[in-house]
């Protein structure tokens, strides 16, 4: 949903938090003067998913499944880091 708001600097156009061209939860606010973009503000990680709280009640395999769903782009990286950390804790 896009809602435009006029300011003294130009018109502010919010885009997000979900945009079809992006896989990550981002929220942009563009400041435009006519057709020219004169500024942009963004918030990264707009959606809080509560994964930390969900993990408290899961076992190793269920946690790995949740970790894969943190990010659409780097699901392998999150899983690999989690498994390596769990292996290091298990060796102590």
């Amino acid at each position: 949903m896009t809602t435009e708001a006029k300011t003294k600097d130009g018109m502010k156009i919010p885009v997000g938090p979900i945009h079809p061209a992006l896989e990550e939860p981002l929220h942009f606010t563009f400041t435009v003067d006519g057709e020219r973009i004169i500024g942009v503000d963004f918030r990264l990680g707009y959606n809080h998913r509560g994964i930390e709280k969900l993990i408290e009640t899961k076992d190793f395999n269920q946690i790995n499944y949740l970790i894969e769903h943190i990010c659409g782009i780097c699901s392998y990286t999150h899983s690999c880091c989690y498994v390596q950390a769990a292996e290091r804790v298990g060796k102590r």
Side-chain angles (χ1 to χ4, degrees):
M1 176 181 238
T2 301
T3 307
E4 299 174 355
K6 281 195 172 190
T7 65
K8 64 180 180 178
D9 300 328
M11 185 172 285
K12 294 199 179 275
I13 303 172
V15 178
I18 298 171
H19 190 273
L22 303 170
E23 293 189 34
E24 292 297 314
L26 297 171
H27 183 272
F28 295 98
T29 302
F30 293 98
T31 305
V32 296
D33 183 18
E35 293 183 6
R36 192 170 144 234
I37 298 174
I38 57 175
V40 65
D41 293 322
F42 70 94
R43 287 185 286 173
L44 187 60
Y46 184 81
N47 295 329
H48 184 272
R49 298 179 181 148
I51 289 182
E52 297 90 353
K53 191 67 177 171
L54 285 170
I55 286 175
E56 292 176 2
T57 61
K58 306 295 181 195
D59 66 18
F60 180 79
N61 291 326
Q62 293 170 329
I63 292 172
N64 197 28
Y65 179 78
L66 284 173
I67 296 294
E68 288 177 351
H69 291 83
I70 289 175
C71 171
I73 297 171
C74 52
S75 60
Y76 170 77
T77 305
H78 290 290
S79 296
C80 186
C81 290
Y82 168 68
V83 170
Q84 287 176 349
E87 287 174 348
R88 286 182 186 159
V89 169
K91 289 181 181 179
R92 291 183 181 181

